[in-house]
Amino acid sequence: MEAFSFAQIPIDRSRPLQPQLHSALLSRINEGLLPAGTRLPSSRRLADELGVSRNTVLIVIDQLKAEGYLESRPGSGVAVKSELPAGKVARVQWQSQEHLPPLSRVGQQWSNYEAISHEQCLPFTVGVPDLKAFPDATWLRLQRRHQERMPLRGFQEDQGYQPLRESLTHYLKTSRGVICDADQIIITQGAQQALALCALVLLDEEDTVMLEEPGYRGARDAFKSRNAHFYAVGLGDNGIDVTALPQSPPGRLLYTTPTHQYPLGGILPAADRLRLLDWAARHRLWVIEDDYDSEFHFHAKPIAALQGMAEQTPVLYMGSFSKTLYPALRLGYLVVPKPLVPTLVAAKRALGGETPLLTQAVVADFIAEGHFIRHLRRMRQLYQCKWDHLRALVEDQLKGLATPVARSAGMHLALMIDCQSDVELASEFRGAGFGSTPLSWYYASGKGRSGLVLGFANTSEAEREEGISVLRDLIPRC
Amino acid sequence: MEAFSFAQIPIDRSRPLQPQLHSALLSRINEGLLPAGTRLPSSRRLADELGVSRNTVLIVIDQLKAEGYLESRPGSGVAVKSELPAGKVARVQWQSQEHLPPLSRVGQQWSNYEAISHEQCLPFTVGVPDLKAFPDATWLRLQRRHQERMPLRGFQEDQGYQPLRESLTHYLKTSRGVICDADQIIITQGAQQALALCALVLLDEEDTVMLEEPGYRGARDAFKSRNAHFYAVGLGDNGIDVTALPQSPPGRLLYTTPTHQYPLGGILPAADRLRLLDWAARHRLWVIEDDYDSEFHFHAKPIAALQGMAEQTPVLYMGSFSKTLYPALRLGYLVVPKPLVPTLVAAKRALGGETPLLTQAVVADFIAEGHFIRHLRRMRQLYQCKWDHLRALVEDQLKGLATPVARSAGMHLALMIDCQSDVELASEFRGAGFGSTPLSWYYASGKGRSGLVLGFANTSEAEREEGISVLRDLIPRC
């Protein structure tokens, strides 16, 4: 390789020199331009040819020696190592993707997954609270309080920060009728991780999960991590239709949203809750109670949770701060029967380990010092105004085009709309700058009612007015 | 039930009255003390008997009506609802835990899991960086920059915050020889979630994983989420023994730590890396390259990653900010072959959704503005001093009692120690106020060498001296 000239190696002086020289030499060795045995010029001469300092050259040569590409030849400088067949590199290159190893069955189902890039939260994007109404000053004050605490940088407990679990115990008892000790609470990365943990420890692969139709897609995503099959239970006027609960259940898990059926609203009455618990007990079933936004009932105080209706229920109660604080916080919780705690903590350790401690410490104080309750009260009033306004707009402008179905409130309004494709409608609406979710997406079976679900919590009055008038023009065209 | 007296209901005026009254009435209805049909006194009289405001009574009664426990009787006040069989409640109570439904096979393996409460990070706790050396001022400045940005509170991308993925691409290329675009990077909740995502999409239940013996327990935890079996590959002088790689592989996945074998140290030479990649290619295997602390090599620049040694490798490269920044940040990343991206993003969406955006934004700038490289350089020097000091202490004081085996550096030192039980030794050491991990815990087979792994990064000079002298007394007694 006399022909090879080190002077030809391009060096960009605006970037770090060592890594450039390192990868330049490495690639030329791998490409066979510097085959085994090739002797390098002296470090001084190399430095001259490359126009870099001799020190840089020496460091890179040491590096390549350490990596086994170069070796010292006694008395005769440095050479490319002999037992380094350059051909090897070619052998590990793939010509195409078919050469990649196979995926798991769970992985295969996702191989064509199209990530939804939310880019930004648009007006009417479902599940987004009023981000501008967040109490920054209080939050920052609490954050400064904990910001530099060393113990909040290391490890503590996979189950979750003790003071947060204590705060939650009291909040859930007084606000939601949940009966638990702090040691039954597991802090999670949002509600989604709570669902994934349940799926992992309650379901074997290919088990069947009973769930509401229509229902929450995030739950179905989590259950798909177990390749689960779905048994759809229809809805009555007040949430899940307890008379439709199968008398020979196809699986051992029911997922339900009794306090505000998602997405259609509806509050399951106490008598039906008792029937549901009775059914679960008789058939030895687990029940996941997703209490995702009961904080935002406007008319009555939310009905007490299933979990607390009896001393020992087979209920895994879950909640999230995504709607009560904000989604990007990624904080949620599970309240589980005592015997399940070790299993779920082990599962959490396996799937992601601890939850960021600073966030947990701030939220713990935010609750304990009463800011949370006050924030919820403010948001409840704020959302009720927005809700009333949106309902009025729909009545007034979408009469005959859309039928609002939410029997309860919360942060979104579901509209039944007769149209060719609600997916099409939603994307047209998005084109006009508004988020929304096609109602059909909430049906596990795929074939469901068509319509749009509108998240109104993060909309301004003007946005609601514009959005609804845009829909008035769009709907007839779909 | 004339006998029943509302006056007997205890009310604690120091606590919120509504929830108390609500659950008091609810429990008495459920316990049958107020059976179906029972008429309640007028709200005014109830208020008097209970000693609360009439308004409180009215709110709670409305609440219990909404919940279906009470109903208005035309012209005759309020009564306990008739179709509410109080007996139902008793039926859903369990006398004992055996009545709980079964767990999944994965769940069962964890049912006796004992959570390790780290309480605090003790001196020599493995995996903890020097928390006091963290650049708070810079960090807080960057945090303030992003703190109140609304878009960082909502949803963006499950795959991870784009600017962070861009920053990482450049860092990994120049520092680690990783070849990737930002769209091949998936941000994770620490390295643990990266492992769990790989396990989910690469392994079917009960598949066999090939891994280093001894090796990283966190990886085994993640693989157990698939009920995986383990095939242990022994170590040579420089990490995994490539001559021991099975010629008829029992599974399709190898987990390895080539750049700093965990926990024993050792840097896999380039020629062995090529053999490993060649073996993986010939047998169509996936390789997880865990590059957990290559930033802290003291002697040479760390050897380039497996991932970047050829154009298309079957390598899933993973790293974490737990050691380079701090553990409670819970931030890690995966770099995967392009065809795997949709699958892994879907898996991340299912297991936990997005990663907190504020943290990602701060880390993105921390890297892009050069603070990260500077911090690493400072830590490398700091840890080298601590390492040299600890090595000297061990040489000097534990001669004949313990043999240091780490062939490389990083943040911990592994000691081979002949003793009855290194678990016993570690717990005695903990009793003296020092963290450490028994070497035997790193062996999947359970039967391995005995010793202790000491994390020295978070120790002071005095703590190192005291710790080693404590060990000098403890070891002979174990």
Side-chain angles (χ1 to χ4, degrees), chain A residues 185-407:
Chain A
I185 295 182
I186 291 138
I187 304 300
T188 62
Q189 186 189 346
Q192 194 60 41
Q193 188 183 43
L195 288 162
L197 295 175
C198 293
L200 183 58
V201 305
L202 303 182
L203 298 175
D204 283 310
E205 287 225 351
E206 310 251 343
D207 273 0
T208 296
V209 180
M210 294 168 275
L211 32 68
E212 297 163 354
E213 176 88 331
Y216 180 47
R217 295 163 64 219
R220 296 204 300 270
D221 289 341
F223 299 137
K224 283 178 187 166
S225 71
R226 307 298 282 156
N227 250 330
H229 302 290
F230 299 127
Y231 178 96
V233 181
L235 305 181
D237 287 342
N238 304 306
I240 189 166
D241 177 2
V242 293
T243 67
L245 293 169
Q247 283 318 302
S248 39
R252 59 171 174 254
L253 174 63
L254 170 75
Y255 168 82
T256 181
T257 54
T259 302
H260 182 206
Q261 200 283 330
Y262 193 79
L264 296 188
I267 304 177
L268 197 65
D272 287 347
R273 290 173 185 241
L274 294 172
R275 280 189 207 99
L276 190 154
L277 285 173
D278 179 52
W279 168 80
R282 274 189 285 105
H283 297 290
R284 285 190 73 201
L285 306 173
W286 293 113
V287 175
I288 297 177
E289 176 178 22
D290 187 348
D291 203 24
Y292 68 101
D293 79 348
S294 58
E295 287 84 358
F296 300 123
H297 282 285
F298 306 141
H299 310 302
K301 200 158 149 303
I303 190 163
L306 274 178
Q307 190 271 0
M309 294 187 90
E311 270 315 309
Q312 283 188 42
T313 54
V315 173
L316 293 88
Y317 173 93
M318 54 179 278
S320 163
F321 290 103
S322 293
K323 294 182 172 57
T324 52
L325 295 174
Y326 58 81
L329 209 54
R330 310 308 303 133
L331 201 65
Y333 44 88
L334 260 178
V335 181
V336 305
K338 280 207 166 69
L340 282 192
V341 172
T343 310
L344 280 156
V345 172
K348 191 191 173 201
R349 182 180 184 79
L351 294 193
E354 274 198 85
T355 302
L357 285 161
L358 178 60
T359 308
Q360 294 188 80
V362 172
V363 174
D365 285 359
F366 193 79
I367 297 173
E369 295 176 11
H371 307 298
F372 190 53
I373 293 292
R374 277 191 292 278
H375 177 61
L376 290 178
R377 199 177 303 126
R378 264 203 320 280
M379 292 304 101
R380 208 175 288 120
Q381 289 157 1
L382 180 62
Y383 295 163
Q384 173 146 23
C385 297
K386 295 184 178 201
W387 160 256
D388 293 338
H389 178 236
L390 182 61
R391 285 297 300 265
L393 284 169
V394 169
E395 297 289 327
D396 176 47
Q397 309 211 10
L398 300 185
K399 194 174 280 331
L401 296 173
T403 321
V405 288
R407 291 170 192 78

Side-chain angles (χ1 to χ4, degrees), chain B residues 200-271:
Chain B
L200 183 59
V201 306
L202 303 182
L203 298 175
D204 283 310
E205 288 227 350
E206 308 252 342
D207 274 359
T208 296
V209 180
M210 294 168 276
L211 33 68
E212 297 163 355
E213 175 87 333
Y216 180 48
R217 295 164 64 219
R220 296 203 300 271
D221 290 339
F223 300 138
K224 282 177 187 166
S225 71
R226 308 297 282 157
N227 252 329
H229 303 290
F230 299 126
Y231 178 98
V233 181
L235 305 180
D237 288 343
N238 303 307
I240 190 167
D241 178 1
V242 293
T243 68
L245 294 169
Q247 283 317 303
S248 40
R252 57 170 175 254
L253 175 61
L254 171 74
Y255 168 82
T256 181
T257 55
T259 302
H260 183 206
Q261 200 282 331
Y262 193 77
L264 295 189
I267 303 178
L268 197 64

